[in-house]
Amino acid sequence: MIRRGISHTKSLRSTSWCLANRFLTPEDTISNVNSMDKTIENTSVGVNGNRSYSSGGVGLPSYMRAAVFREPNKPLTIEEFQIPRPKAGEVLIKTKAVASDIVSLNAACGVCHSDLHVMKGELPFSSPCVVGHEITGEVVELGPLTDHKLIERYPIGSRVVGAFIMPCGNCSYCSKGHDDLCEDFFAYNRAKGTLYDGETRLFLRDGGKPVFMYSMGGLAEYCVVPVHALTNLPESLPYTESAILGCAVFTAYGAMAHAAEVRPGDSVAVIGVGGVGSR
Ligand SMILES: [Zn+2]
Ligand SMILES: [Zn+2]
């Protein structure tokens, strides 16, 4: 399963590797995976270790694992966290593509160039943090006081895909439909590594130290996502291939449809294809 995931990922995200190779080769990443393997072995829980279940959430384990960035040019470390809890207007997602792959030692999957910028120290971001922002998954919990229309749209068990820009739904830009310019997203998440009450949802299992979130902190078994960042994922679309919908796909779509105003039948020259352009 792990091997299949890696080869599958490399073919799916070959251009990401082209970009990533400037900083991190696939072999480097796989070597990082081996480091993560050791990290996991050093814990008391194996990859398939049994876990106790909390009374707080039906069917939710008492803790989860996530990949943590602590300092530039060091491998991510797999660490144990309390299960994050969603607040009003937020949803707890059990990740199905990115996180399950990395935690099962397939770290090659779902590492966007933006994540690599953070990992290389080229993009300043609060640390320690959980990176990863291209997720698909299943809704397992909705925050209290979440609007009933949103609960109807994303019932427990529904399949979803998340966007890396997570609109608050309330600011002046969001209210005009310019979700990509959401003030809260840039003021709180990108500037501080938190959600929009100024707090993270990630706390280490031992000691409860807070860990920041790059977008939703998707390289984890569970993540909290503001509900306005979600879209239903049809049964016809597989979890793994669909993970890039919320980042690479709409980035390319925006460039073509809105900036270049490309229409079917147009002839175009693509210059500097890059990680987004050739997916
Ligand atoms: Zn991305
Ligand atoms: Zn907003």
Side-chain angles (χ1 to χ4, degrees), residues 13 111-115 133-134 164 246-248 279:
R13 301 173 58 95
V111 179
C112 179
H113 201 176
S114 303
D115 297 315
H133 55 267
E134 300 182 345
F164 83 95
C247 181
R279 287 195 214 189

Side-chain angles (χ1 to χ4, degrees), residues 89 163-171 173-174 178-185 196 225-230:
F164 83 95
I165 292 180
M166 305 185 297
C168 72
N170 300 313
C171 73
Y173 287 104
C174 283
H178 298 305
D179 297 6
D180 54 322
L181 300 176
C182 175
E183 286 175 322
D184 282 1
F185 174 75
Y196 310 142
V225 186
V227 69
H228 293 291
L230 296 174

Side-chain angles (χ1 to χ4, degrees), residues 218-267:
L219 290 178
E221 291 177 296
Y222 293 84
C223 59
V224 169
V225 186
V227 69
H228 293 291
L230 296 174
T231 299
N232 292 108
L233 183 67
E235 290 284 341
S236 57
L237 293 179
Y239 277 123
T240 300
E241 287 86 342
S242 302
I244 62 170
L245 285 171
C247 181
V249 170
F250 74 49
T251 300
Y253 178 83
M256 290 193 301
H258 301 307
E261 298 184 354
V262 172
R263 296 291 177 264
D266 288 352
S267 295

Side-chain angles (χ1 to χ4, degrees), residues 61-82:
S62 58
Y63 70 95
M64 69 164 193
R65 290 167 296 178
V68 180
F69 164 79
R70 289 193 171 271
E71 55 184 313
N73 303 309
K74 294 278 175 64
L76 302 178
T77 54
I78 303 295
E79 301 187 31
E80 294 178 354
F81 286 79
Q82 300 167 13

Side-chain angles (χ1 to χ4, degrees), residues 194-212:
T194 69
L195 291 186
Y196 310 142
D197 59 354
E199 295 180 6
T200 181
R201 301 295 180 266
L202 296 174
F203 300 92
L204 292 175
R205 183 186 185 196
D206 292 328
K209 274 196 166 180
V211 172
F212 297 107

Side-chain angles (χ1 to χ4, degrees), residues 30 85 118 132 155 177 253:
I30 291 168
R85 304 308 303 272
V118 173
Y253 178 83

Side-chain angles (χ1 to χ4, degrees), residues 130-153:
V130 173
V131 292
H133 55 267
E134 300 182 345
I135 63 147
T136 52
E138 176 187 334
V139 173
V140 294
E141 188 179 5
L142 293 117
L145 305 175
T146 298
D147 185 278
H148 73 279
K149 287 182 183 169
L150 295 172
I151 295 174
E152 285 173 11
R153 185 172 177 189

